[in-house]
């Protein structure tokens, strides 16, 4: 593994710039994904796709905190989290918990009433795109983090994996429903998304209240 001690100043600055632009790309992508997913989820009455889109908006808030973190560790990689990052983490955590409550209640209601989406086709399409994009982000963040020997950037890469897990859940639920029309699959997929959203929210509050980069269960 390359370390900061064996890369020159220009390379170090270039790598931090890449990390910062990765954070900005994540913000932009999640914004677009959130808009498209919530709109199509609402139109198709697919709660799993709508919830996936709502999660993307929360990831935008998280991404802003990550971009700020990259700038902070670029100045001093040993500096503790500042007030801005802790506030962003608490807002993100609260948003995740709110999403979990809404998705859980609505999923149970849909199961109770026998509600089914009109189609989950777009859930399949969006999830496949998301898996590809998030996988590329994880790979690139890990490369940058390893070259900088930055635990903070590597922790961010690890937590980006949760987006892949959510995308896989959306793909499986949407694909099964589209192929079979089995009732409740969309609602069960939504509960799976809610589970990972809960873990993300818990992680955010743990980070906000300490200087740990990640708990032992970070996004896994």
């Amino acid at each position: 593994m390359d370390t900061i001690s064996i890369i020159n100043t220009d390379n170090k600055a270039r790598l931090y710039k890449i990390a910062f632009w990765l954070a900005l790309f994540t913000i932009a992508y999640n914004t677009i994904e959130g808009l498209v997913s919530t709109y199509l989820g609402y139109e198709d009455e697919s709660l799993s796709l709508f919830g996936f889109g709502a999660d993307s908006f929360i990831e935008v808030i998280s991404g802003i905190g990550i971009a700020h973190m990259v700038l902070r560790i670029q100045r001093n990689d040993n500096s503790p989290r500042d007030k801005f990052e802790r506030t962003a983490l608490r807002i993100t955590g609260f948003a995740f918990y709110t999403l979990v409550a809404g998705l859980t209640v609505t999923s149970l209601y849909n199961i109770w009433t026998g509600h089914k989406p009109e189609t989950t086709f777009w859930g399949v399409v969006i999830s496949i795109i998301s898996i590809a994009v998030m996988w590329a982000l994880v790979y690139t963040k890990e490369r940058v983090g390893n070259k900088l020997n930055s635990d903070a950037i590597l922790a961010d890469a690890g937590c980006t994996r949760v987006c892949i897990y959510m995308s896989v859940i959306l793909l499986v639920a949407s694909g099964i429903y589209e192929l079979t029309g089995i009732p409740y699959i969309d609602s069960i997929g939504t509960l799976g998304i809610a589970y990972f959203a809960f873990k993300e929210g818990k992680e955010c509050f743990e980070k906000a209240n300490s200087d740990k980069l990640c708990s032992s269960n970070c996004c896994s």
Side-chain angles (χ1 to χ4, degrees):
M1 179 187 299
D2 293 329
T3 63
I4 294 177
S5 60
I6 61 175
I7 60 176
N8 61 43
T9 302
D10 288 341
N11 281 340
K12 182 178 176 181
R14 180 180 62 83
L15 289 168
Y16 274 119
K17 185 175 181 179
I18 292 173
F20 180 72
W21 280 105
L22 286 172
L24 293 185
F25 175 82
T26 303
I27 293 169
Y29 177 81
N30 277 312
T31 299
I32 296 170
E33 182 179 75
L35 289 170
V36 174
S37 297
T38 52
Y39 172 75
L40 292 175
Y42 177 81
E43 287 293 309
D44 295 339
E45 298 185 9
S46 171
L47 182 60
S48 60
L49 181 55
F50 184 88
F52 182 80
D55 176 84
S56 297
F57 287 129
I58 300 174
E59 297 292 350
V60 171
I61 304 173
S62 176
I64 293 171
I66 295 300
H68 178 84
M69 178 201 73
V70 171
L71 295 177
R72 171 179 61 78
I73 63 176
Q74 182 176 11
R75 294 190 295 268
N76 179 5
D77 55 2
N78 293 317
S79 60
R81 288 193 183 91
D82 56 23
K83 184 178 180 180
F84 181 90
E85 285 177 59
R86 294 183 191 276
T87 300
L89 284 166
R90 291 189 179 100
I91 293 172
T92 304
F94 178 78
F96 274 128
Y97 280 171
T98 302
L99 177 63
V100 169
L103 292 183
T104 301
V105 170
T106 308
S107 294
L108 295 176
Y109 176 79
N110 284 352
I111 292 173
W112 176 263
T113 60
H115 175 271
K116 297 193 297 183
E118 294 183 5
T119 178
T120 55
F121 171 78
W122 288 112
V124 173
V125 174
I126 291 172
S127 60
I128 291 174
I129 295 172
S130 180
I131 289 170
V133 172
M134 291 300 118
W135 189 269
L137 278 173
V138 170
Y139 174 78
T140 308
K141 287 179 179 181
E142 286 182 342
R143 286 196 63 186
V144 172
N146 282 324
K147 288 181 179 180
L148 286 170
N149 195 28
S150 171
D151 290 337
I153 293 175
L154 288 173
D156 174 43
C159 288
T160 301
R161 289 181 183 276
V162 78
C163 297
I164 298 177
Y165 303 154
M166 287 188 174
S167 299
V168 170
I169 290 173
L170 177 64
L171 175 59
V172 171
S174 298
I176 291 175
Y177 181 82
E178 196 66 19
L179 291 172
T180 67
I182 296 175
Y184 315 132
I185 289 295
D186 185 66
S187 294
I188 292 173
T190 303
L191 291 174
I193 291 173
Y195 168 77
F196 280 107
F198 175 81
K199 295 192 72 172
E200 284 195 284
K202 182 174 180 287
E203 191 72 38
C204 286
F205 282 114
E206 289 177 352
K207 288 180 180 179
N209 294 325
S210 72
D211 286 321
K212 292 191 300 181
L213 293 174
C214 241
S215 75
S216 59
N217 296 321
C218 180
C219 303
S220 62

